[in-house]
Amino acid sequence: MNTKYAHNKAINANSKSPFVKFRSINIGDCQWTEGFWADKFKQAETIMVPHMGELLKGDIGHAYNNFKIAANMQDGEAKGMLWHDGDFYKWMEACIYVYGINKDAALLTELDEIISVLAGAMCSDGYLHTHNQILAKPRWKEVCDHELYNSGHLILGGVIHHRVTGQTNWLDLSIKHADYLYGVFESKDEALARFGFNPSQIMALVELYRETGEKKYLELADIFVTMRGSVPMELHDSVPYWFTGDQCQMKTPLREETEAVGHAVTGMYLYSGAADVYAETGETALIDALQSIWSSANERKMYVTGALGQCHHGAYDDQNMIHEGFIDDYLMPNSTAYNETCANISNAMFNWRMLGITGDAKHADNVELVLHNSAMVGISADGEKYFYANPLRMNFGQRDYSDHCDCTESPDREAYIECFCCPPNLVRTIAQVSAWAYSLTDNGVAVNLFGSNNLNTKLLDGSELSLSQVTNFPWDGSISIEVKACKAESFDIAVRIPGWAKDATVTVNGEAINGVKNGEYLTLSRQWREGDKIAIELPMNTTFVEGHPRIEEIRNQVAVKRGPLVYCIETPDLPENTGILDAYIASDAKFDAQFDQSFLGGMTTIKTELLVRQDNTQNMYDEIQKPTWGSHQAQFIPYYAWSNRGTAEMTVFVPVVWK
């Protein structure tokens, strides 16, 4: 492969990575033009990013104040969570992705001012953690201080800023901080081996290595991977007892792990970082472990929405308390499902990296699933309110939410969540999705995600390629891809046929293509010419989905799915005074899927007849009688769109009455 034309302005700049099959396009190479993702990006550009900036730079969010206080620019107290620095860096990263598309100079001016404050807050040796500095806390004493979590987002932000702008003011801080971390952790001191909880720094260090060519950053990333599970699982002053063992992925060394365990976000960050390390080293033990972990997480512990993290609080065994994380295979509660927005996004991050390594369409399928369901549900239709936890059922008879117990669970999206890690994570994801739409293959391009866009990039041999994609996906399965410019020689266009798209068809210039299989990439090899058109038809059938028989919580229940979208029922679409637990559906129910421009900005809803049980028992157990049924013309709406019409009950899975 000719690496002269390396795509070094990508989010994951893996064009020179020796152990990947799909390589990333540069930020800005793909730009949405109209439809679902164009609308979401425009909302991120005009509402999400500015509004979040007002929160975080103001007294409500207080994040910018923390940096100013640490820089001795103003007096005040440290506020927000100990990982609030990382929240602020993620918002800054979202600003960079927006700038990478719209080139608004005002964004750079704003970021330059902020970066100068970060430089003032950073200690002379490169350490930066505003809470610990303001509170004069000792360094590296408690894993829950999230020092390395903040480090990762600081370092990555500087790398992305440099790739998009060419400026070094933030990158210089990233390098200084990474050099400091190398000095602290290079010795592999056992006293520090437990640090790395919520390890965003591994991914960041690999990107810094790719940016600078300095191998010590890759070495340090590998050190952090190796340290997980390298010391005895025992109570330790640096680790609170409820963060012992599997909770921090510290019970088993990663290279020996076979299960997705512990805190879902920290696990997915660790696995994503290890995947980045593998892309550079090709270490067999790493990829073998990651394949097993992927299977555990995505085939036995993942919700139908692509969400991860089955419980808020629980226990994996007598030595492992679990918080916001994974529990047993197929143990999938609905109402108490935690499914933190960050966990769902990090599932997409892990699958994105596994897609790069393997080129297997199943990973892109999961990225698509998360983006259209369990990630997007984390933000309101107006772009200004947020969910942290994302259950698949909300029924108020189960729990009194009038005085919910912490800052991360609510029946309604919140304008500000004290634990603010998820909102900026989601906004930066929405801002960067276009960079995931295509990948570069050895002699061509792969189409990963669907949405109207223009792609202007270079293949790995340096030749120019321009494509135009037109579609109303995910509401419609018709996709047209036109070649606008390309080299004269033969090359590949690999089109993903989603696993859900049974009986999909593909034509090139009107000629049917044989061998189309769902769940695979269809590789079209030919001498392409300007004006050539690929037409893809993905059947958008409305279907029932049932769970594995071991998922006790949804035995004899079904979910409704159309294309990549999982649907739900909300109480605004039920008769007055009807609860979500009164809703049933007949096995022979007919569906009418129609695009409704007036509904929450425009989306496809599904009309059907529901059965409404009139006599549900209120006792713990009751002798069964033949139910009394009513019927009601209701609609299913996309899961991500629920809770935009006032406080409501909701369910994804509905009991089925077999006819």
Side-chain angles (χ1 to χ4, degrees):
M1 183 190 70
N2 187 343
T3 58
K4 178 180 178 181
Y5 300 99
H7 291 65
N8 58 6
K9 299 185 185 302
I11 297 171
N12 306 108
N14 60 359
S15 64
K16 292 185 179 180
S17 303
F19 298 98
V20 297
K21 294 183 178 179
F22 281 14
R23 293 170 165 84
S24 299
I25 60 173
N26 282 336
I27 299 165
D29 280 4
C30 174
Q31 299 193 17
W32 306 117
T33 54
E34 60 183 358
F36 183 88
W37 284 117
D39 292 344
K40 292 298 180 185
F41 180 84
K42 190 66 176 179
Q43 189 181 48
E45 176 187 23
T46 60
I47 297 176
M48 297 177 187
V49 168
H51 175 72
M52 190 170 291
E54 292 176 4
L55 286 176
L56 292 174
K57 294 179 72 176
D59 291 337
I60 294 176
H62 197 76
Y64 196 29
N65 289 343
N66 287 336
F67 286 101
K68 289 180 177 179
I69 296 167
N72 296 315
M73 296 175 62
Q74 69 181 48
D75 296 328
E77 300 177 356
K79 295 182 180 179
M81 299 295 185
L82 289 160
W83 50 91
H84 208 38
D85 293 1
D87 302 340
F88 193 64
Y89 300 140
K90 282 184 283 187
W91 169 76
M92 293 175 67
E93 188 182 339
C95 292
I96 301 165
Y97 295 132
V98 170
Y99 172 79
I101 301 297
N102 70 12
K103 304 301 182 184
D104 182 358
L107 282 170
L108 286 193
T109 300
E110 182 178 15
L111 288 172
D112 283 344
E113 174 192 302
I114 294 170
I115 293 165
S116 67
V117 174
L118 302 187
M122 181 174 282
C123 298
S124 59
D125 63 358
Y127 181 81
L128 179 56
H129 185 292
T130 61
H131 276 69
N132 284 9
Q133 290 167 233
I134 295 168
L135 298 171
K137 291 181 62 177
R139 304 175 185 180
W140 313 114
K141 292 298 181 184
E142 299 179 26
V143 297
C144 291
D145 284 353
H146 286 72
E147 287 158 291
L148 286 170
Y149 173 80
N150 289 344
S151 294
H153 290 298
L154 168 64
I155 294 168
L156 181 61
V159 170
I160 299 298
H161 182 260
H162 179 250
R163 288 176 181 170
V164 172
T165 70
Q167 297 176 200
T168 62
N169 47 342
W170 190 351
L171 180 65
D172 290 341
L173 300 181
S174 298
I175 292 171
K176 184 177 181 179
H177 187 68
D179 288 346
Y180 162 76
L181 293 181
Y182 186 84
V184 173
F185 289 96
E186 185 273 336
S187 65
K188 308 179 186 67
D189 188 336
E190 183 175 320
L192 296 173
R194 292 172 177 82
F195 285 85
F197 172 69
N198 228 346
S200 64
Q201 83 282 0
I202 302 173
M203 292 177 280
L205 287 165
V206 174
E207 292 305 327
L208 186 60
Y209 159 71
R210 291 168 173 167
E211 191 71 3
T212 65
E214 180 57 65
K215 289 188 176 180
K216 71 178 181 182
Y217 302 133
L218 178 60
E219 176 192 346
L220 183 57
D222 186 68
I223 287 172
F224 282 120
V225 171
T226 302
M227 285 199 303
R228 310 311 294 158
S230 66
V231 293
M233 196 189 80
E234 59 188 20
L235 293 180
H236 190 272
D237 290 344
S238 65
V239 186
Y241 71 90
W242 61 91
F243 275 0
T244 300
D246 269 346
Q247 168 66 8
C248 291
Q249 292 79 38
M250 281 294 290
K251 183 179 179 181
T252 305
L254 179 65
R255 290 167 176 84
E256 301 172 17
E257 185 59 84
T258 60
E259 297 287 322
V261 296
H263 192 284
V265 179
T266 72
M268 285 292 138
Y269 274 24
L270 172 62
Y271 312 143
S272 295
D276 283 339
V277 172
Y278 169 80
E280 304 302 326
T281 67
E283 183 187 346
T284 301
L286 275 182
I287 192 60
D288 287 349
L290 292 174
Q291 294 281 22
S292 294
I293 291 166
W294 180 89
S295 178
S296 169
N298 286 261
E299 295 179 331
R300 300 190 297 280
K301 298 183 182 184
M302 186 178 76
Y303 283 88
V304 69
T305 58
L308 296 179
Q310 299 131 289
C311 74
H312 192 168
H313 304 290
Y316 195 76
D317 58 33
D318 60 357
Q319 292 183 298
N320 290 276
M321 297 185 68
I322 298 301
H323 175 71
E324 301 179 345
F326 296 107
I327 46 180
D328 292 329
D329 291 353
Y330 304 113
L331 187 55
M332 312 290 291
N334 288 312
S335 298
T336 59
Y338 201 62
N339 295 345
E340 180 185 341
T341 303
C342 276
N344 309 336
I345 293 169
S346 63
N347 190 28
M349 292 164 58
F350 181 41
N351 273 279
W352 171 248
R353 286 159 172 80
M354 294 298 285
L355 174 66
I357 290 168
T358 68
D360 192 326
K362 68 184 181 182
H363 298 299
D365 281 0
N366 278 357
V367 171
E368 176 186 77
L369 179 68
V370 169
L371 290 176
H372 286 94
N373 297 284
S374 57
M376 206 58 62
V377 72
I379 196 161
S380 60
D382 63 11
E384 295 185 354
K385 294 179 285 294
Y386 316 101
F387 272 145
Y388 187 105
N390 298 287
L392 273 69
R393 179 174 294 144
M394 178 67 69
N395 54 284
F396 302 135
Q398 181 216 7
R399 179 174 174 182
D400 179 11
Y401 282 92
S402 61
D403 185 25
H404 50 277
C405 65
D406 60 26
C407 63
T408 62
E409 290 182 276
S410 170
D412 302 293
R413 294 180 185 86
E414 302 288 342
Y416 183 75
I417 304 171
E418 185 181 358
C419 178
F420 203 67
C421 57
C422 294
N425 205 8
L426 179 54
V427 172
R428 72 166 181 158
T429 300
I430 293 170
Q432 71 176 327
V433 168
S434 61
W436 291 359
Y438 298 89
S439 295
L440 301 169
T441 60
D442 285 347
N443 185 36
V445 65
V447 183
N448 303 321
L449 301 175
F450 304 115
S452 291
N453 64 68
N454 290 326
L455 173 70
N456 294 285
T457 192
K458 288 183 178 180
L459 299 181
L460 294 178
D461 62 5
S463 61
E464 301 282 348
L465 176 66
S466 294
L467 301 178
S468 176
Q469 184 179 155
V470 178
T471 180
N472 195 29
F473 192 85
W475 315 121
D476 189 281
S478 297
I479 301 153
S480 174
I481 300 173
E482 181 176 354
V483 178
K484 294 293 188 179
C486 67
K487 65 181 181 179
E489 296 80 15
S490 176
F491 68 96
D492 304 335
I493 298 178
V495 178
R496 179 177 63 91
I497 308 300
W500 51 263
K502 298 177 181 178
D503 301 319
T505 61
V506 177
T507 63
V508 176
N509 297 332
E511 181 180 346
I513 302 298
N514 296 322
V516 179
K517 296 181 180 179
N518 63 304
E520 296 183 4
Y521 279 88
L522 174 68
T523 300
L524 304 169
S525 301
R526 60 189 290 151
Q527 287 182 294
W528 297 93
R529 296 290 181 264
E530 180 182 349
D532 284 347
K533 288 186 178 180
I534 304 169
I536 307 158
E537 291 292 334
L538 305 178
M540 301 290 281
N541 301 317
T542 303
T543 61
F544 281 141
V545 176
E546 68 172 340
H548 189 285
R550 286 182 58 190
I551 307 176
E552 295 182 15
E553 292 83 355
I554 55 171
R555 287 292 298 267
N556 205 40
Q557 298 179 51
V558 293
V560 171
K561 197 166 183 282
R562 182 177 184 272
L565 291 165
V566 176
Y567 279 71
C568 70
I569 279 286
E570 258 193 309
T571 43
D573 297 313
L574 293 178
E576 189 175 356
N577 299 321
T578 299
I580 207 71
L581 299 182
D582 300 321
Y584 293 68
I585 194 165
S587 61
D588 60 355
K590 301 296 187 292
F591 298 115
D592 181 20
Q594 297 289 337
F595 186 81
D596 185 350
Q597 186 61 57
S598 66
F599 189 81
L600 298 177
M603 61 187 63
T604 295
T605 63
I606 299 172
K607 303 293 194 298
T608 192
E609 182 177 343
L610 284 180
L611 300 175
V612 180
R613 187 167 178 176
Q614 309 291 327
D615 59 344
N616 265 337
T617 181
Q618 299 302 310
N619 298 322
M620 183 74 173
Y621 301 102
D622 221 340
E623 181 181 341
I624 192 168
Q625 304 292 329
K626 184 177 180 179
T628 301
W629 300 104
S631 65
H632 180 72
Q633 288 294 320
Q635 67 176 354
F636 282 80
I637 68 169
Y639 169 72
Y640 80 82
W642 89 276
S643 190
N644 279 293
R645 295 177 289 167
T647 301
E649 293 188 347
M650 174 277 301
T651 190
V652 168
F653 281 94
V654 182
V656 62
V657 177
W658 294 97
K659 296 295 183 83

